Amino acid sequence: MPARTARTAWNGTFQEGSGQVELSSSGVGTYDVSFPARAAEEANGVTSPEELLAASHSSCFTMAFTNELGQAGATPEQIEVTAVVTLGPDPAGGLYISKSALTVRGFASGIDEEGFKAAAKAAKVGCPISKALTGVGQITLDVTFEG
């Protein structure tokens, strides 16, 4: 299986510095990062590790979910997955990812609501990013079948 690469170049201190993260393998973009923007309520055009992790979790989960649906004999028609990753204070000191909340909305033909939700639960367990996030305080799943 392939490996993927991202690179971050940083200038300055933790609190006042800033950097750019480059999605090197794909070459699709370079994005500004900084701790003040990371800790602010509004991102204002600056990304963060948490936003990048949310993108990873939502896309990985979606792939795992559509695979689970296919294995159940269903055809995904419309699937939307949102991941909200929360940064919080670590009781042991510093910061940690306290939560990744997955929200699934959609419809697949050839499956009922119960099967749709079962496929989502299986995808949450089987998604490689979910597996990588075992140190996260909580991973939640909210599923709405719109069929």
Side-chain angles (χ1 to χ4, degrees):
M1 298 299 289
R4 300 291 185 239
T5 304
R7 182 184 71 82
T8 301
W10 187 270
N11 293 304
T13 66
F14 172 66
Q15 289 288 340
E16 297 170 3
S18 64
Q20 291 190 320
V21 61
E22 170 191 275
L23 304 182
S24 306
S25 299
S26 64
V28 297
T30 299
Y31 306 95
D32 293 334
V33 292
S34 75
F35 183 74
R38 182 181 187 186
E41 287 298 320
E42 296 296 322
N44 295 319
V46 179
T47 195
S48 67
E50 292 73 34
E51 183 178 36
L52 296 169
L53 186 57
S56 294
H57 204 188
S58 69
S59 61
C60 180
F61 174 87
T62 301
M63 290 179 207
F65 181 44
T66 57
N67 183 53
E68 290 290 338
L69 289 169
Q71 289 183 12
T75 302
E77 301 291 338
Q78 178 63 43
I79 306 294
E80 181 177 312
V81 177
T82 304
V84 178
V85 172
T86 304
L87 179 68
D90 188 337
L95 300 170
Y96 85 126
I97 304 299
S98 59
K99 185 176 184 179
S100 183
L102 294 166
T103 302
V104 181
R105 303 283 180 265
F107 171 75
S109 58
I111 199 166
D112 62 8
E113 182 174 4
E114 183 179 321
F116 190 84
K117 289 183 175 183
K121 288 178 185 175
K124 178 185 167 205
V125 172
C127 163
I129 298 296
S130 290
K131 291 176 184 180
L133 296 177
T134 58
V136 168
Q138 182 182 31
I139 298 176
T140 62
L141 179 63
D142 176 28
V143 182
T144 302
F145 180 67
E146 297 176 336

